[in-house]
């Protein structure tokens, strides 16, 4: 319970955020630390209202194709990190990727997200060829990439081949914290430069971070929010950190659905138009988590279109949901869940609305 004074301060900060779409880092900290069930419901209600004014009750779906779990990086939190010798590696062929898209198109998907580890064999030539074929076959669809850090020239080639969007979570906006989550050789500056390049090139760009990652403080989260505010991404992916048993972070506690949803509401108020997914990690940490995310202001879900045979191999964290469902089954299930809370999955590219 908050004292009436504190409650009043929080309400004032929420009102300022609603009006100005900007807070100081200290105000973000106060908003995070001072949250209660009551203030979370107040901010969620405002977030829903803002989201519904722009996107109505529509929930956009993105068909996620996990193209490879081979990765040259060694992020300490991630199940497909290079050092995880227990990870059974795979890479989809161009034909397999296009087959996933065929299945997705028939199910109503109009955005395909190709996501993978930083697999050295995904040359510009290979990626551009897949992008071109996808766009030729499905000119009414958007192509999103989530394949990590590359040179500016490479990003330009992918964009010129027809890719529309790019997701690259910044993971944390605090350099010191970044260095605790990543091994030497991975750099905070490079990550941020990649994000700036993507946006300048013209991609609809998504950043994002994990909630409750090891060593994360309220100050770190406030910096994440400030970064989201200033960078003005078209998309932002956030989900709870969930430990993976074969990583150095296996014994760290997971993040919570509660804080994730609260942050989703804040982000919706920062950028009313943002495309905000209710993530698989949120649905994994809590049954009904994705519904809660939508009710907190999210407007996107990303069901899996990967071949069933590789689903279990793309384990970034333990317990990932719907690794056994047929894509069609997963979409029906999700559509039902969205309907139960008064929202509706739509067959639309779901572009960012200016
Ligand atoms: N828990 C939650 N999210 C994770 N990711 C990677 N490992 C984990 C984990 N253990 C997220 C990262 C990455 C995205 C593809 O998945 O934020 O950017």
């Amino acid at each position: 319970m908050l004292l009436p004074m504190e409650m009043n301060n929080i309400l004032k900060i929420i009102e300022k955020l609603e009006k100005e779409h900007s807070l100081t880092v200290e105000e973000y900290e106060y908003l995070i630390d001072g949250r209660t069930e009551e203030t979370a419901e107040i901010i969620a209600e405002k977030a829903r209202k803002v989201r519904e004014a722009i996107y109505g009750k529509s929930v956009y779906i993105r068909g996620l194709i996990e193209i490879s779990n081979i990765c040259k990086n060694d992020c300490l939190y991630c199940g497909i990190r290079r050092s995880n010798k227990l990870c059974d590696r795979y890479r989809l062929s161009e034909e397999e990727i296009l087959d996933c898209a065929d299945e997705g198109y028939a199910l109503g998907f109009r955005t395909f997200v190709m996501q993978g580890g930083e697999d050295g064999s995904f040359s510009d030539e290979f990626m551009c060829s897949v992008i071109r074929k996808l766009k030729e076959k499905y000119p009414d669809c958007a192509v999103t990439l989530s394949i990590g850090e590359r040179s500016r020239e490479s990003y330009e080639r992918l964009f010129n081949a027809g890719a529309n969007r790019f997701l690259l979570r910044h993971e944390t906006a605090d350099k010191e914290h970044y260095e605790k989550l990543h091994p030497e050789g991975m750099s905070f500056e490079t990550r941020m430069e990649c994000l700036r390049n993507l946006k300048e090139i013209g991609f609809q760009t998504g950043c994002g971070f994990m909630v409750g990652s090891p060593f994360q403080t309220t100050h770190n989260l406030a910096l994440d929010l400030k970064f989201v505010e200033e960078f003005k991404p078209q998309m932002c992916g956030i989900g709870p950190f969930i430990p993976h048993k074969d990583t150095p972070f296996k014994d760290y506690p997971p993040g919570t659905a509660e804080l994730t949803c609260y942050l989703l509401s804040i982000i919706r108020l920062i950028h009313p138009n943002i495309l905000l997914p209710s993530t698989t990690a949120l649905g994994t940490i809590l049954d009904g988590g994705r519904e809660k995310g939508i009710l907190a202001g999210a407007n996107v879900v990303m069901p899996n279109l990967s071949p069933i045979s590789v689903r279990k191999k793309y384990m970034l964290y333990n317990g990932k949901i719907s690794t056994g469902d047929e894509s069609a089954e997963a979409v029906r299930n999700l559509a039902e869940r969205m309907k139960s809370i008064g929202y509706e999955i739509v067959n639309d590219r779901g572009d960012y609305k200016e």
Side-chain angles (χ1 to χ4, degrees):
M1 274 292 281
L2 290 179
L3 299 172
M5 250 284 275
E6 290 170 327
M7 179 77 179
N8 218 6
N9 288 341
I10 297 251
L11 292 178
K12 270 198 204 132
I13 291 177
I14 295 175
E15 267 164 40
K16 177 178 169 190
L17 180 60
E18 219 183 345
K19 270 201 211 100
E20 300 177 18
H21 310 292
S22 168
L23 295 176
T24 64
V25 171
E26 292 71 30
E27 286 168 330
Y28 282 124
E29 287 174 2
Y30 195 89
L31 197 55
I32 294 167
D33 279 339
R35 73 189 187 281
T36 62
E37 251 176 65
E38 198 183 350
T39 59
E41 188 39 49
I42 291 170
I43 199 166
E45 201 182 314
K46 288 183 190 292
R48 280 197 295 277
K49 223 166 111 195
V50 163
R51 169 258 207 258
E52 282 168 27
I54 299 162
Y55 294 104
K57 294 273 194 182
S58 298
V59 175
Y60 295 136
I61 49 171
R62 318 298 195 197
L64 184 64
I65 308 172
E66 294 155 334
I67 58 177
S68 168
N69 68 355
I70 297 170
C71 192
K72 68 173 161 57
N73 288 332
D74 220 13
C75 308
L76 279 79
Y77 45 83
C78 185
I80 65 168
R81 66 198 299 266
R82 184 184 65 217
S83 299
N84 183 7
K85 299 285 180 281
L86 297 172
C87 177
D88 186 5
R89 308 283 169 173
Y90 75 90
R91 170 186 299 139
L92 300 186
S93 65
E94 180 172 89
E95 199 187 339
E96 287 171 312
I97 297 171
L98 295 169
D99 284 348
C100 292
D102 291 344
E103 190 181 351
Y105 193 87
L107 290 171
F109 288 91
R110 295 296 177 267
T111 290
F112 301 115
V113 182
M114 288 189 272
Q115 182 176 91
E118 292 195 22
D119 181 333
S121 89
F122 288 143
S123 61
D124 292 346
E125 200 189 345
F126 177 86
M127 289 309 305
C128 288
S129 163
V130 184
I131 295 164
R132 279 199 202 94
K133 286 187 179 144
L134 270 174
K135 297 292 287 195
E136 254 164 47
K137 191 152 189 206
Y138 300 115
D140 53 336
C141 289
V143 169
T144 304
L145 302 175
S146 177
I147 52 172
E149 298 176 6
R150 301 171 83 95
S151 69
R152 184 174 178 118
E153 294 68 39
S154 171
Y155 285 150
E156 275 166 357
R157 283 185 209 111
L158 301 171
F159 185 75
N160 292 333
N164 309 93
R165 311 186 187 130
F166 205 107
L167 306 172
L168 183 73
R169 289 190 177 179
H170 63 285
E171 310 297 356
T172 169
D174 184 312
K175 179 176 158 65
E176 259 179 58
H177 185 219
Y178 188 93
E179 288 169 2
K180 291 181 184 163
L181 302 180
H182 301 93
E184 241 174 273
M186 285 185 74
S187 117
F188 175 70
E189 286 79 13
T190 305
R191 193 116 190 135
M192 289 300 182
E193 195 190 329
C194 285
L195 277 166
R196 281 192 300 275
N197 284 339
L198 288 164
K199 199 143 180 274
E200 278 171 24
I201 290 166
F203 283 103
Q204 291 179 39
T205 303
C207 64
F209 55 93
M210 290 177 289
V211 178
S213 59
F215 317 110
Q216 186 178 65
T217 62
T218 301
H219 180 64
N220 295 151
L221 284 172
L223 292 181
D224 284 322
L225 294 172
K226 196 68 191 170
F227 173 71
V228 170
E229 179 193 309
E230 291 174 346
F231 181 64
K232 301 189 173 62
Q234 285 82 15
M235 308 172 281
C236 181
I238 72 166
F241 160 73
I242 304 174
H244 184 290
K245 65 179 176 38
D246 305 316
T247 63
F249 288 163
K250 64 178 171 7
D251 295 324
Y252 284 84
T256 65
E258 175 268 321
L259 181 52
T260 303
C261 289
Y262 191 73
L263 294 167
L264 284 171
S265 299
I266 296 177
I267 294 170
R268 173 63 63 200
L269 293 185
I270 296 174
H271 294 308
N273 299 44
I274 201 165
L275 295 165
L276 200 56
S278 190
T279 54
T280 306
L282 181 54
T284 297
I285 203 77
L286 179 75
D287 186 26
R290 277 173 307 178
E291 292 89 308
K292 283 223 159 84
I294 295 295
L295 289 170
N299 66 329
V300 172
V301 287
M302 301 170 69
N304 204 321
L305 284 182
S306 308
I308 297 246
S309 57
V310 308
R311 295 265 179 98
K312 287 202 168 70
K313 299 180 186 174
Y314 200 84
M315 275 291 174
L316 307 184
Y317 46 81
N318 284 136
K320 194 174 140 205
I321 50 171
S322 65
T323 48
D325 295 357
E326 293 286 347
S327 308
E329 178 65 28
V331 176
R332 269 196 301 274
N333 175 290
L334 206 53
E336 211 37 63
R337 285 172 179 264
M338 293 301 130
K339 212 171 138 198
S340 77
I341 55 166
Y343 287 78
E344 187 196 8
I345 278 181
V346 290
N347 301 347
D348 189 300
R349 266 176 62 122
D351 281 302
Y352 179 78
K353 292 193 179 161
E354 287 295 343

